[in-house]
Amino acid sequence: MLNLQRTAMFVAVADAGSFTAAAESMGLTKAVVSFNIRQLEDELGVTLLLRSTRRLTLTEAGVLFHQRSVRLLQEAERLQDDVRANHAGLTGELRITTTPEYGSQVVVPLLAEFSQQHPELRVRHVSSSQHADLISERFDVAIRLGTLADSRYHAALISNFTILPVAAPGWLANHPVESLEHLAQAEWIVHERLPSPLHWQVKDADGNLVAFEIKKAPRLYADSAQALMAFAHAGCGVALLPEWLVRNALNSGVLVSLLPGYTFAQQGIYAVYPDAQHVPAKVRTFIDFMRARVN
């Protein structure tokens, strides 16, 4: 039977490039690590490392064993975490950050239900329009909307949502919008943190993709969807907003959706977390919980 402790020592040596560095990282002596690697090679019947006075080199068998061992150790750690969570329930603290709008409307009610299911788990929610550095600010997960650009993190798709161009009825009465050309020349309120807020892909009623560009230079910018909606409600022009945010305003007639025959590209709802070797059970459990509830 493969010894996981010796396997972990081998991975540490291969990653560090020396017995001394691996031993220091594991809090062991060099002699203990060296002995266990020799025992592992004896058990496997192959040489994993070629040792010289200057460096260590993985053999062909060592390269293969290292690749498979990394995945094996990750899975073993996940299994241990899952068993502990299954026995004692989720514990510790779940630190999560969202935008203010989606947080208050969707995520916080879900967190309330999630915390009731896991009474030993502390939940800390932080809302911000700015994207937090998950590692330095010690967030377990961020819920982000739209298009993701930061490759440092791993992202799990939760769901998708529709975005709609909306305006106040009073503004629309004075500025009729009957075509994409009219919409392109309208007074727009723009989200300043979007990478390309003036250029979009839309589909017509037949499903054909059409390139759409806002032609008239916008005068109003904001860094949150809530502020965009407030500007639109005040009769300042057209804002492109999530359907989940403007649903009540549309139902009450406070805002009107423009050109319903055209649809803007759907946007993603993502759970983003540090791309670590081991994803905590509390993070995986919350992502699964949120995906089931949102969908």
Side-chain angles (χ1 to χ4, degrees), residues 5-236:
Q5 287 185 321
R6 288 173 179 162
T7 302
M9 290 183 193
F10 166 75
V11 170
V13 170
D15 289 346
S18 77
F19 283 97
T20 301
E24 290 177 354
S25 69
M26 303 185 76
L28 301 171
T29 65
K30 178 182 175 182
V32 168
V33 173
S34 180
F35 171 79
N36 277 277
I37 297 300
R38 286 197 301 271
Q39 290 293 108
L40 178 63
E41 290 177 320
D42 289 343
E43 291 168 0
L44 294 173
V46 297
T47 299
L48 300 174
L49 292 165
L50 296 176
R51 303 157 177 83
S52 71
T53 56
R54 294 193 174 187
R55 64 174 182 167
L56 295 175
T57 304
L58 292 177
T59 64
E60 184 176 351
V63 171
L64 175 62
F65 189 71
H66 178 267
Q67 293 172 344
R68 299 286 292 273
S69 293
V70 169
R71 294 196 293 270
L72 175 65
L73 292 172
Q74 289 174 345
E75 187 58 34
E77 189 173 4
R78 291 192 187 99
L79 174 60
Q80 177 179 274
D81 195 45
D82 287 344
V83 170
R84 287 174 175 172
N86 186 61
H87 174 70
L90 299 181
T91 59
E93 181 174 85
L94 176 67
R95 289 175 56 86
I96 182 168
T97 179
T98 69
T99 62
E101 301 87 359
Y102 195 71
S104 62
Q105 191 155 328
V106 179
V107 178
V108 169
L110 291 178
L111 282 173
E113 182 182 352
F114 188 73
S115 67
Q116 291 171 357
Q117 293 183 8
H118 304 280
E120 299 301 316
L121 180 69
R122 299 188 307 276
V123 175
R124 188 180 302 274
H125 173 261
V126 176
S127 62
S128 174
S129 296
Q130 302 297 320
H131 283 180
D133 185 315
L134 303 188
I135 297 173
S136 66
E137 298 183 47
R138 298 186 299 108
F139 282 110
D140 296 302
V141 62
I143 305 301
R144 292 182 177 169
L145 311 182
T147 303
L148 300 181
D150 198 331
S151 60
R152 294 180 301 162
Y153 305 133
H154 184 81
L157 180 66
I158 300 294
S159 186
N160 294 290
F161 64 94
T162 301
I163 51 176
L164 305 170
V166 298
W171 180 91
L172 189 59
N174 296 321
H175 307 83
V177 176
E178 299 175 353
S179 66
L180 277 183
E181 290 73 21
H182 290 166
L183 189 61
Q185 296 294 339
E187 297 170 328
W188 277 81
I189 311 146
V190 172
H191 201 307
E192 67 178 6
R193 289 195 295 107
L194 294 178
S196 55
L198 305 184
H199 300 271
W200 297 88
Q201 290 281 341
V202 299
K203 284 185 180 180
D204 61 19
D206 297 322
N208 300 311
L209 280 175
V210 180
F212 174 74
E213 180 182 358
I214 297 172
K215 300 292 186 181
K216 188 173 182 178
R219 293 188 306 110
L220 297 175
Y221 293 81
D223 71 345
S224 73
Q226 195 70 50
L228 294 179
M229 187 166 70
F231 274 128
H233 182 267
C236 296

Side-chain angles (χ1 to χ4, degrees), residues 255-293:
L255 293 175
V256 178
S257 177
L258 309 180
L259 299 181
Y262 291 90
T263 57
F264 283 72
Q266 282 205 324
Q267 304 296 296
I269 303 169
Y270 297 93
V272 180
Y273 50 92
D275 193 11
Q277 290 187 345
H278 172 64
V279 182
K282 61 187 177 183
V283 173
R284 289 184 283 112
T285 304
F286 178 72
I287 290 174
D288 292 341
F289 171 83
M290 182 174 176
R291 184 181 284 127
R293 290 295 189 274

